[in-house]
Amino acid sequence: MVYLIIKYLVTAALVVIISEIARRNDRMGGLIASLPLVTILTLFWLKFENAGEDKISNHAYYTFWFVIPTLPMFLVFPKLNATYGFWVAMLCSIVFTTVLFYLYQLVLIRLGIRLF
């Protein structure tokens, strides 16, 4: 139980630190947020929990494939935010990313890569 609480605290602290840095410096916040810190932290947690090597490797592998369709959102959101405001931009970005995930899945299936 203590370990689970430590996981929550460390992971939450990471998100809070990144958002505080982003509040003070856009570029530095963006740089830090773009780093795969949560993935690296997850890999550490899996290792500390004695997850098998296959489980750890699969996590990194699938993370790679799932990141790709999320990247266009980072180009679409700023334009929509400037034009329509935060909430519309966020909603449109979520829908856009969901559609991209679906289309991406169809392409990957044709290439023999199954994510789901």
Side-chain angles (χ1 to χ4, degrees), residues 16-29:
V16 170
I17 289 167
I18 292 170
S19 68
E20 285 300 308
I21 291 170
R23 192 168 54 91
R24 291 176 173 78
N25 185 318
D26 297 339
R27 291 184 181 154
M28 187 59 66

Side-chain angles (χ1 to χ4, degrees), residues 6-103:
I6 291 170
K7 278 176 57 174
Y8 278 123
L9 292 175
V10 170
T11 305
L14 182 63
V15 172
V16 170
I17 289 167
I18 292 170
S19 68
E20 285 300 308
I21 291 170
R23 192 168 54 91
R24 291 176 173 78
N25 185 318
D26 297 339
R27 291 184 181 154
M28 187 59 66
L31 170 65
I32 294 170
S34 72
L35 298 173
L37 298 173
V38 172
T39 300
I40 290 169
L41 189 57
T42 302
L43 295 174
F44 278 122
W45 293 137
L46 288 170
K47 183 64 176 172
F48 295 151
E49 294 165 359
N50 295 316
E53 297 302 318
D54 284 346
K55 178 68 100 178
I56 295 170
S57 294
N58 284 339
H59 179 76
Y61 175 80
Y62 287 116
T63 299
F64 167 80
W65 289 108
F66 285 128
V67 163
I68 293 171
T70 67
L71 295 176
M73 186 274 300
F74 294 104
L75 296 175
V76 171
F77 178 82
K79 181 66 175 164
L80 291 174
N81 189 39
T83 306
Y84 300 106
F86 178 82
W87 296 110
V88 171
M90 185 59 68
L91 178 62
C92 289
S93 294
I94 291 169
V95 170
F96 178 64
T97 301
T98 302
V99 170
L100 282 180
F101 262 108
Y102 176 74
L103 297 173

